[in-house]
Amino acid sequence: MNTELLALVPPEKREAAEAYLQTREAYPPKLVQGMLLFGALISCVAILFGGTVFGVRVLRSVIGVLFTAAGWWLSAKNEGRADWGYVFCAQLGLVLGIIGRMELIDWLVSFSHYAREGNAFIFCAVAALSYPFFKAKIDRLFFCTWALVALLDYTQNGLLRSAAGMEILSAVLCAFFFGGALWIFASRRIVLKPLAYAGVIACGVGLVCLSDTVGRNISLMLFAGMAAFCASRLSVPFKTRALICALIVVLACWLPVYAFAGLFACAAGYYLRERCLEWLGMAGFAAGLVWMYYDMNTTLLAKAGWLTLAGGCSLLAYAWVRRTYAR
C-alpha cells in the first residue's frame, strides 16, 4: 500500500513522504490511541469539574481561553512525535482545545440570545479561525461539521419565510457542499480533507432535513447533473461515458435523492481512492433504500421485488467495477 502511495507522489516530495510514512508506522496501534484519547478526555473532565468540588468558580470565557491556549500549545509541542507519552500529550491537547472552544462558543452565543443567525456566524468564525492552528483531523472535522450544519439550520429555519424558497436554497446549499467536497478530493488538497468530509456529512444532514417534494426533486436534479458532469470527465471511451450518463438518468428517475446521493458518493470515493467516502456513500445508499421501502405505497410483494432488483443491480455493478478497475 505504501509503495502505491509513494508512486503517486512527485519525485521532489518523495523523501518527505517516506519520512512521514515511517513516522506514522511508529505510532501506537489505533486501539491504544483510542484508549489514550479516552484517558485524555477523563483528565479534561476532571480538570473542568474538579474546581467546582472545592467551590472555585471560573468564568466560561476564562476557561475557554485557558483551555484553548493549553490545547494549542500541547498539540503543537507534541506534533509528529510517536512515543506513547507524546501521543497522550497530543491527545490531551486535542481534547483541551475542543472543550475550550466549545466553552467560548457557548459564551459568545449567549450575547446573540441564541439566535440562529448569530449561532451560524459564530460557529463558522470559530471553525475558520481555528483551522490553521489546530491541525488534528478529528478537531477540524468536528468544528467544520458543526459550522456547516449550523449554516444549514439557519438556511432551513431562519433565512427565508417562504417554505418553497427555503427548500430550494437548502437543496442548492447541499449540492454546493457536496460539489466542494468532490473538488477538494479530486485536487488532492490533503490539508482541506477534513473540511471535505464535513461538507459530505453536512450535505447528508441537509438532505434528511428536506421535508418538501420540491426541495428533494431539485436536489436530485443537481446531484444527477454533477454525476453526469463527473462521468463526462472520465478518461474512458465516448461510448462508455454515454452509457454511464444514461445509467445516471435511469437511476435518478428510479431512486430517491438519499440513495442516489449515497451511490454517487460511493462511486466517487472508489474512483478517487477515498475509503471513508466509500463507506459513507454505502451507508447513505442503504439508508435511502430503506427509506424508499417504507415510503412506497404498494404491497409487500412489490416492495420485495423492487429491493431484490436494486440488490441485483448493485451486485452486477460491483462485479463490473471489480473486473474493470481491479486494484
Side-chain angles (χ1 to χ4, degrees):
M1 184 64 182
N2 290 346
T3 306
E4 294 180 5
L5 292 174
L6 290 174
L8 301 174
V9 178
E12 63 273 9
K13 298 182 179 179
R14 193 161 297 170
E15 185 177 353
E18 290 178 353
Y20 173 76
L21 290 175
Q22 290 176 0
T23 303
R24 296 297 299 177
E25 290 175 354
Y27 269 69
K30 296 293 184 181
L31 180 60
V32 176
Q33 293 186 40
M35 295 172 63
L36 293 176
L37 180 61
F38 182 73
L41 179 61
I42 296 298
S43 303
C44 291
V45 171
I47 294 172
L48 186 61
F49 294 102
T52 59
V53 177
F54 299 98
V56 180
R57 293 185 177 274
V58 184
L59 295 175
R60 285 178 299 172
S61 57
V62 177
I63 294 176
V65 171
L66 290 178
F67 274 43
T68 302
W72 172 79
W73 183 81
L74 284 173
S75 300
K77 192 74 174 177
N78 299 280
E79 182 183 2
R81 298 186 177 184
D83 293 340
W84 288 25
Y86 294 122
V87 172
F88 174 76
C89 291
Q91 304 280 34
L92 182 62
L94 167 68
V95 179
L96 280 174
I98 292 176
I99 293 177
R101 276 167 291 162
M102 290 178 67
E103 290 287 338
L104 284 176
I105 288 173
D106 188 43
W107 173 63
L108 290 172
V109 296
S110 62
F111 290 101
S112 64
H113 304 288
Y114 300 95
R116 284 191 171 92
E117 59 271 18
N119 293 351
F121 175 77
I122 291 169
F123 295 156
C124 292
V126 171
L129 292 174
S130 62
Y131 200 94
F133 300 101
F134 293 88
K135 300 179 181 180
K137 295 179 181 178
I138 188 172
D139 184 289
R140 290 173 167 176
L141 176 65
F142 176 76
F143 282 100
C144 289
T145 304
W146 196 2
L148 294 181
V149 171
L151 186 60
L152 271 173
D153 178 67
Y154 171 53
T155 302
Q156 293 179 335
N157 299 296
L159 184 58
L160 297 176
R161 295 184 179 180
S162 171
M166 178 189 69
E167 290 285 314
I168 293 172
L169 186 58
S170 300
V172 172
L173 199 58
C174 290
F176 175 77
F177 287 164
F178 192 84
L182 286 185
W183 176 77
I184 292 173
F185 289 134
S187 59
R188 304 298 180 185
R189 297 177 182 270
I190 306 299
V191 177
L192 297 179
K193 280 182 67 174
L195 177 60
Y197 279 108
V200 173
I201 296 172
C203 173
V205 174
L207 290 178
V208 171
C209 293
L210 290 175
S211 57
D212 191 79
T213 307
V214 176
R216 293 173 186 169
N217 291 338
I218 290 177
S219 60
L220 186 58
M221 290 171 50
L222 292 173
F223 274 92
M226 281 193 295
F229 173 77
C230 293
S232 67
R233 307 289 293 180
L234 295 175
S235 56
V236 294
F238 175 77
K239 290 183 179 180
T240 305
R241 282 180 286 170
L243 180 62
I244 294 175
C245 291
L247 181 61
I248 289 171
V249 173
V250 173
L251 291 175
C253 296
W254 177 29
L255 296 175
V257 61
Y258 320 111
F260 184 84
L263 191 61
F264 181 24
C266 181
Y270 183 88
Y271 182 78
L272 298 173
R273 295 180 178 268
E274 292 288 341
R275 293 283 187 182
C276 293
L277 185 60
E278 287 185 59
W279 298 336
L280 287 174
M282 285 304 300
F285 178 63
L289 290 181
V290 172
W291 180 88
M292 184 178 70
Y293 176 83
Y294 285 103
D295 191 63
M296 291 174 66
N297 188 17
T298 184
T299 62
L300 291 177
L301 183 61
K303 289 183 178 182
W306 279 109
L307 285 183
T308 303
L309 179 60
C313 293
S314 300
L315 290 175
L316 288 175
Y318 175 78
W320 179 76
V321 171
R322 184 83 175 181
R323 184 187 63 183
T324 307
Y325 300 103
R327 60 180 180 180

